[in-house]
Short mmCIF file of all heavy atoms in Angstrom, two decimals:
data_model
loop_
_atom_site.label_atom_id
_atom_site.label_comp_id
_atom_site.label_asym_id
_atom_site.label_seq_id
_atom_site.Cartn_x
_atom_site.Cartn_y
_atom_site.Cartn_z
N ALA A 1329 102.73 94.26 171.03
CA ALA A 1329 101.78 94.35 171.92
C ALA A 1329 100.52 94.95 171.47
O ALA A 1329 100.47 95.79 170.47
CB ALA A 1329 102.43 95.36 173.10
N GLY A 1330 99.37 94.76 172.09
CA GLY A 1330 98.10 95.35 171.68
C GLY A 1330 97.50 94.56 170.58
O GLY A 1330 97.90 93.45 170.06
N SER A 1331 96.29 95.16 170.25
CA SER A 1331 95.44 94.45 169.12
C SER A 1331 95.44 95.49 167.86
O SER A 1331 96.25 96.28 167.84
CB SER A 1331 94.05 94.34 169.62
OG SER A 1331 93.44 95.52 170.00
N GLY A 1332 94.52 95.13 167.05
CA GLY A 1332 94.34 96.05 165.83
C GLY A 1332 95.18 95.49 164.54
O GLY A 1332 95.69 94.28 164.58
N ALA A 1333 95.35 96.42 163.68
CA ALA A 1333 95.98 95.94 162.35
C ALA A 1333 97.47 95.46 162.50
O ALA A 1333 97.78 94.66 161.67
CB ALA A 1333 95.74 97.18 161.38
N VAL A 1334 98.11 96.24 163.44
CA VAL A 1334 99.59 95.76 163.42
C VAL A 1334 99.65 94.34 163.94
O VAL A 1334 100.44 93.52 163.39
CB VAL A 1334 100.25 96.75 164.46
CG1 VAL A 1334 101.68 96.25 164.68
CG2 VAL A 1334 100.37 98.10 163.87
N ARG A 1335 98.80 94.04 164.82
CA ARG A 1335 98.88 92.61 165.40
C ARG A 1335 98.31 91.61 164.31
O ARG A 1335 98.88 90.64 163.99
CB ARG A 1335 98.00 92.46 166.60
CG ARG A 1335 97.80 91.09 167.22
CD ARG A 1335 99.10 90.56 167.77
NE ARG A 1335 98.90 89.30 168.35
CZ ARG A 1335 99.38 88.88 169.52
NH1 ARG A 1335 100.00 89.74 170.33
NH2 ARG A 1335 99.17 87.64 169.85
N ASP A 1336 97.36 92.06 163.54
CA ASP A 1336 96.78 91.10 162.51
C ASP A 1336 97.78 90.91 161.46
O ASP A 1336 97.88 89.78 160.84
CB ASP A 1336 95.47 91.83 161.87
CG ASP A 1336 94.30 91.67 162.79
OD1 ASP A 1336 94.47 90.77 163.83
OD2 ASP A 1336 93.22 92.34 162.59
N ARG A 1337 98.49 92.05 161.14
CA ARG A 1337 99.61 91.87 160.00
C ARG A 1337 100.58 90.93 160.47
O ARG A 1337 101.04 90.04 159.74
CB ARG A 1337 100.18 93.26 159.68
CG ARG A 1337 101.24 93.28 158.75
CD ARG A 1337 101.81 94.69 158.60
NE ARG A 1337 103.13 94.59 157.64
CZ ARG A 1337 102.93 94.70 156.33
NH1 ARG A 1337 101.86 94.78 155.71
NH2 ARG A 1337 104.10 94.60 155.66
N TRP A 1338 101.08 91.10 161.69
CA TRP A 1338 102.09 90.29 162.29
C TRP A 1338 101.63 88.76 162.27
O TRP A 1338 102.35 87.88 161.86
CB TRP A 1338 102.48 90.64 163.69
CG TRP A 1338 103.59 89.90 164.21
CD1 TRP A 1338 104.91 90.09 164.15
CD2 TRP A 1338 103.53 88.55 164.99
NE1 TRP A 1338 105.67 89.05 164.92
CE2 TRP A 1338 104.78 88.16 165.27
CE3 TRP A 1338 102.37 87.79 165.41
CZ2 TRP A 1338 105.10 86.87 166.01
CZ3 TRP A 1338 102.65 86.60 165.96
CH2 TRP A 1338 103.89 86.19 166.47
N GLU A 1339 100.44 88.50 162.61
CA GLU A 1339 99.92 87.23 162.70
C GLU A 1339 99.87 86.50 161.31
O GLU A 1339 100.14 85.38 161.14
CB GLU A 1339 98.41 87.24 163.20
CG GLU A 1339 98.37 87.53 164.61
CD GLU A 1339 98.87 86.47 165.63
OE1 GLU A 1339 99.21 85.48 165.19
OE2 GLU A 1339 98.69 86.76 166.93
N SER A 1340 99.54 87.37 160.31
CA SER A 1340 99.55 86.86 158.85
C SER A 1340 101.02 86.46 158.53
O SER A 1340 101.13 85.46 157.96
CB SER A 1340 99.06 87.95 157.96
OG SER A 1340 97.61 88.15 158.17
N LEU A 1341 101.93 87.30 158.78
CA LEU A 1341 103.37 87.07 158.38
C LEU A 1341 103.93 85.87 159.21
O LEU A 1341 104.61 85.06 158.73
CB LEU A 1341 104.29 88.31 158.69
CG LEU A 1341 103.80 89.50 157.81
CD1 LEU A 1341 104.81 90.72 158.06
CD2 LEU A 1341 103.90 89.15 156.46
N ALA A 1342 103.43 85.86 160.55
CA ALA A 1342 103.98 84.65 161.36
C ALA A 1342 103.39 83.39 160.76
O ALA A 1342 104.00 82.35 160.89
CB ALA A 1342 103.45 84.97 162.74
N ALA A 1343 102.16 83.42 160.22
CA ALA A 1343 101.56 82.18 159.73
C ALA A 1343 102.47 81.76 158.53
O ALA A 1343 102.63 80.55 158.33
CB ALA A 1343 100.13 82.46 159.24
N LEU A 1344 102.96 82.71 157.74
CA LEU A 1344 103.86 82.30 156.59
C LEU A 1344 105.14 81.75 157.13
O LEU A 1344 105.68 80.77 156.47
CB LEU A 1344 104.06 83.54 155.72
CG LEU A 1344 102.83 84.06 154.85
CD1 LEU A 1344 103.36 85.34 154.19
CD2 LEU A 1344 102.47 82.94 153.98
N VAL A 1345 105.60 82.35 158.30
CA VAL A 1345 106.89 81.70 158.71
C VAL A 1345 106.63 80.36 159.30
O VAL A 1345 107.57 79.41 158.99
CB VAL A 1345 107.36 82.71 159.85
CG1 VAL A 1345 108.58 81.96 160.68
CG2 VAL A 1345 107.80 84.02 159.33
N ARG A 1346 105.62 80.15 159.88
CA ARG A 1346 105.31 78.72 160.40
C ARG A 1346 105.02 77.82 159.24
O ARG A 1346 105.50 76.60 159.22
CB ARG A 1346 103.99 78.74 161.09
CG ARG A 1346 104.13 79.48 162.53
CD ARG A 1346 103.09 79.08 163.51
NE ARG A 1346 101.78 79.55 163.03
CZ ARG A 1346 101.22 80.87 163.28
NH1 ARG A 1346 101.98 81.77 164.13
NH2 ARG A 1346 100.04 81.15 162.94
N LEU A 1347 104.48 78.31 158.17
CA LEU A 1347 104.27 77.54 156.92
C LEU A 1347 105.60 77.07 156.46
O LEU A 1347 105.84 75.86 155.99
CB LEU A 1347 103.49 78.14 155.90
CG LEU A 1347 103.06 77.46 154.60
CD1 LEU A 1347 102.01 76.31 155.04
CD2 LEU A 1347 102.29 78.38 153.76
N ALA A 1348 106.54 77.98 156.37
CA ALA A 1348 107.87 77.71 155.85
C ALA A 1348 108.60 76.73 156.65
O ALA A 1348 109.33 75.75 156.28
CB ALA A 1348 108.73 78.94 155.75
N GLU A 1349 108.45 76.67 157.98
CA GLU A 1349 109.07 75.76 158.95
C GLU A 1349 108.40 74.40 158.76
O GLU A 1349 109.11 73.48 158.67
CB GLU A 1349 108.85 76.22 160.35
CG GLU A 1349 109.56 77.52 160.84
CD GLU A 1349 109.05 78.22 162.04
OE1 GLU A 1349 108.06 77.73 162.61
OE2 GLU A 1349 109.83 79.00 162.52
N ASP A 1350 107.17 74.32 158.55
CA ASP A 1350 106.49 72.99 158.20
C ASP A 1350 106.98 72.49 156.96
O ASP A 1350 107.30 71.29 156.76
CB ASP A 1350 105.01 73.17 158.35
CG ASP A 1350 104.47 73.60 159.67
OD1 ASP A 1350 105.20 73.43 160.75
OD2 ASP A 1350 103.26 74.20 159.87
N PHE A 1351 107.09 73.35 156.02
CA PHE A 1351 107.49 72.86 154.64
C PHE A 1351 108.96 72.34 154.62
O PHE A 1351 109.33 71.29 153.92
CB PHE A 1351 107.32 74.04 153.64
CG PHE A 1351 107.44 73.69 152.25
CD1 PHE A 1351 106.66 72.86 151.52
CD2 PHE A 1351 108.47 74.22 151.45
CE1 PHE A 1351 106.75 72.52 150.25
CE2 PHE A 1351 108.70 73.91 150.09
CZ PHE A 1351 107.82 73.07 149.52
N ALA A 1352 109.85 73.02 155.34
CA ALA A 1352 111.12 72.65 155.41
C ALA A 1352 111.31 71.31 156.26
O ALA A 1352 112.20 70.51 155.87
CB ALA A 1352 111.99 73.72 156.24
N ARG A 1353 110.40 71.15 157.18
CA ARG A 1353 110.53 69.91 157.90
C ARG A 1353 110.04 68.66 157.02
O ARG A 1353 110.67 67.69 157.10
CB ARG A 1353 109.58 70.03 159.28
CG ARG A 1353 109.80 68.96 160.16
CD ARG A 1353 108.85 69.11 161.34
NE ARG A 1353 109.31 70.29 162.04
CZ ARG A 1353 108.52 71.44 162.19
NH1 ARG A 1353 107.32 71.50 161.58
NH2 ARG A 1353 108.87 72.42 162.86
N ALA A 1354 109.06 69.00 156.12
CA ALA A 1354 108.62 67.79 155.35
C ALA A 1354 109.49 67.73 154.14
O ALA A 1354 109.76 66.58 153.69
CB ALA A 1354 107.17 68.25 154.81
N ARG A 1355 110.11 68.84 153.66
CA ARG A 1355 111.03 68.61 152.44
C ARG A 1355 112.44 69.34 152.87
O ARG A 1355 112.58 70.64 152.47
CB ARG A 1355 110.50 69.36 151.26
CG ARG A 1355 109.14 68.52 150.81
CD ARG A 1355 108.41 69.15 149.60
NE ARG A 1355 109.38 69.40 148.54
CZ ARG A 1355 109.03 70.09 147.41
NH1 ARG A 1355 107.83 70.51 147.22
NH2 ARG A 1355 109.99 70.12 146.40
N PRO A 1356 113.40 68.80 153.45
CA PRO A 1356 114.49 69.26 153.96
C PRO A 1356 115.34 69.98 152.84
O PRO A 1356 116.14 70.91 153.16
CB PRO A 1356 115.33 68.20 154.69
CG PRO A 1356 114.20 67.19 155.00
CD PRO A 1356 113.15 67.32 153.91
N GLN A 1357 115.31 69.43 151.65
CA GLN A 1357 116.01 69.98 150.62
C GLN A 1357 115.47 71.10 149.86
O GLN A 1357 116.01 71.69 148.97
CB GLN A 1357 116.38 68.89 149.58
CG GLN A 1357 117.10 67.62 150.17
CD GLN A 1357 118.36 67.99 151.02
OE1 GLN A 1357 119.09 68.76 150.45
NE2 GLN A 1357 118.42 67.34 152.19
N ALA A 1358 114.29 71.50 150.21
CA ALA A 1358 113.46 72.55 149.47
C ALA A 1358 114.13 73.92 149.68
O ALA A 1358 114.70 74.24 150.74
CB ALA A 1358 112.03 72.53 149.89
N GLY A 1359 114.00 74.72 148.62
CA GLY A 1359 114.48 76.13 148.72
C GLY A 1359 113.32 77.20 148.61
O GLY A 1359 112.17 76.79 148.55
N LEU A 1360 113.66 78.42 148.47
CA LEU A 1360 112.68 79.33 148.33
C LEU A 1360 111.82 79.26 147.15
O LEU A 1360 110.65 79.50 147.14
CB LEU A 1360 113.30 80.83 148.38
CG LEU A 1360 113.54 81.54 149.72
CD1 LEU A 1360 114.29 82.75 149.39
CD2 LEU A 1360 112.17 81.78 150.32
N ALA A 1361 112.38 78.86 146.10
CA ALA A 1361 111.66 78.77 144.89
C ALA A 1361 110.46 77.64 145.05
O ALA A 1361 109.41 77.68 144.61
CB ALA A 1361 112.46 78.44 143.62
N ASP A 1362 110.95 76.55 145.84
CA ASP A 1362 109.90 75.50 146.02
C ASP A 1362 108.82 76.04 146.94
O ASP A 1362 107.55 75.68 146.76
CB ASP A 1362 110.56 74.32 146.76
CG ASP A 1362 111.74 73.71 145.74
OD1 ASP A 1362 111.37 73.44 144.64
OD2 ASP A 1362 112.79 73.53 146.28
N LEU A 1363 109.16 76.83 147.84
CA LEU A 1363 108.10 77.38 148.80
C LEU A 1363 107.29 78.26 148.03
O LEU A 1363 105.95 78.21 148.32
CB LEU A 1363 108.81 78.11 150.04
CG LEU A 1363 107.88 78.78 150.91
CD1 LEU A 1363 106.96 77.72 151.53
CD2 LEU A 1363 108.49 79.61 151.98
N VAL A 1364 107.74 79.07 147.15
CA VAL A 1364 106.85 80.08 146.43
C VAL A 1364 105.82 79.16 145.52
O VAL A 1364 104.70 79.56 145.41
CB VAL A 1364 107.80 80.92 145.45
CG1 VAL A 1364 106.89 81.66 144.40
CG2 VAL A 1364 108.52 81.85 146.35
N ALA A 1365 106.35 78.20 144.96
CA ALA A 1365 105.49 77.23 144.21
C ALA A 1365 104.32 76.62 144.97
O ALA A 1365 103.19 76.59 144.66
CB ALA A 1365 106.35 76.11 143.46
#
Side-chain angles (χ1 to χ4, degrees):
S1331 58
V1334 172
R1335 176 71 180 226
D1336 286 345
R1337 177 184 176 86
W1338 183 90
E1339 293 285 359
S1340 295
L1341 297 178
L1344 289 175
V1345 171
R1346 292 195 295 270
L1347 189 64
E1349 292 169 349
D1350 295 342
F1351 188 64
R1353 192 177 295 112
R1355 295 178 55 184
Q1357 305 305 316
L1360 266 179
D1362 300 308
L1363 177 64
V1364 169

